[in-house]
Amino acid sequence: MKKRFSAEELRELRNLIPINTVIKELLAVPSKISEGHFRFLCPLCNEFQTSTNSSTNLARCYHCEKNFNPIDMVMAVKASQFIDSATYLQEVLSRSRQVKKMMADIDARALAMNRFVHLETIIDTEHRCFYKIGKALKEVHDDRLYHQLLFDNFESYLKQRWDMSKSHGYRLIEAARIIDNLSPIGD
């Protein structure tokens, strides 16, 4: 099956996957750090007279005088054709992007959960301070943070989590809003 790669796709495959990662982790080519430089066993001549350049994302064998970009390296190590090598790297890049997106989603959920726990702490520890509770409840309501604890709606969250009626919760929110509106006048 023939596949064509756009110039942009090839640029990404050559530049977005670090050459050291391709050599050491993806292809498991023997490698070492020597004299402060990453060295790898050249797949063509089996010599360690090599180095990589992270700014150009190229590898070089000084013994056989061959430069390798990530696609070239896959072709040499796996003895595969260009299309197969590029397809392999494209799949690696796609998986990497999926993992990054999943991690970003997890981070966003963790931040929301941390904020939610913080707001609940305010409600729990400052239950006598209606202004702070009203502000916290407003944010829980407006941002629908009650979904973090699998409540379907704000009213069930108030009742089941805080044994608070819907009307009392909304009164606290409204009281905080009034204080915010009056604060510039009274200060």
Side-chain angles (χ1 to χ4, degrees):
M1 164 169 89
K2 284 202 167 186
K3 176 173 173 37
R4 293 185 55 89
F5 293 90
S6 70
E8 179 61 22
E9 288 173 317
L10 292 175
R11 186 198 64 74
E12 287 183 346
L13 296 177
R14 289 184 178 119
N15 295 298
L16 294 184
I17 307 172
I19 191 70
N20 291 5
T21 301
V22 171
I23 293 168
K24 186 175 182 178
E25 296 174 24
L26 296 180
L27 300 174
V29 173
S31 59
K32 63 184 177 181
I33 302 292
S34 175
E35 299 171 8
H37 298 283
F38 180 80
R39 309 280 185 201
F40 62 94
L41 188 65
C42 177
L44 301 179
C45 70
N46 291 320
E47 294 288 334
F48 265 103
Q49 296 175 14
T50 58
S51 68
T52 60
N53 183 334
S54 59
S55 64
T56 60
N57 207 37
L58 293 173
R60 169 103 176 139
C61 176
Y62 297 102
H63 184 262
C64 65
E65 299 182 356
K66 171 76 172 144
N67 286 333
F68 301 92
N69 64 40
I71 299 170
D72 297 328
M73 186 60 69
V74 172
M75 288 172 61
V77 172
K78 291 184 166 255
S80 59
Q81 296 297 314
F82 179 84
I83 296 292
D84 296 330
S85 300
T87 300
Y88 168 76
L89 288 174
Q90 196 172 48
E91 291 167 358
V92 167
L93 191 58
S94 175
R95 284 192 306 270
S96 172
R97 286 178 174 151
Q98 290 171 353
V99 167
K100 285 179 184 175
K101 183 185 179 318
M102 286 175 17
M103 294 305 291
D105 291 346
I106 290 169
D107 287 345
R109 278 186 258 144
L111 286 173
M113 183 54 112
N114 285 342
R115 181 65 182 156
F116 179 63
V117 167
H118 172 72
L119 295 171
E120 283 213 319
T121 301
I122 291 172
I123 295 167
D124 191 34
T125 59
E126 305 289 337
H127 65 278
R128 301 245 183 249
C129 182
F130 68 88
Y131 174 73
K132 285 184 180 180
I133 294 173
K135 295 287 282 184
L137 285 173
K138 180 178 182 341
E139 189 172 337
V140 168
H141 175 269
D142 292 351
D143 294 343
R144 298 176 184 234
L145 296 174
Y146 48 84
H147 288 298
Q148 296 289 326
L149 288 181
L150 304 176
F151 288 99
D152 293 330
N153 55 52
F154 185 63
E155 292 77 17
S156 62
Y157 165 75
L158 288 173
K159 185 65 182 163
Q160 293 174 25
R161 180 74 174 106
W162 300 111
D163 194 26
M164 185 184 299
S165 70
K166 173 176 87 170
S167 58
H168 184 65
Y170 284 112
R171 269 195 303 271
L172 289 170
I173 292 171
E174 185 62 19
R177 187 188 66 76
I178 291 169
I179 290 172
D180 282 341
N181 289 338
L182 294 176
S183 185
I185 298 170
D187 290 346

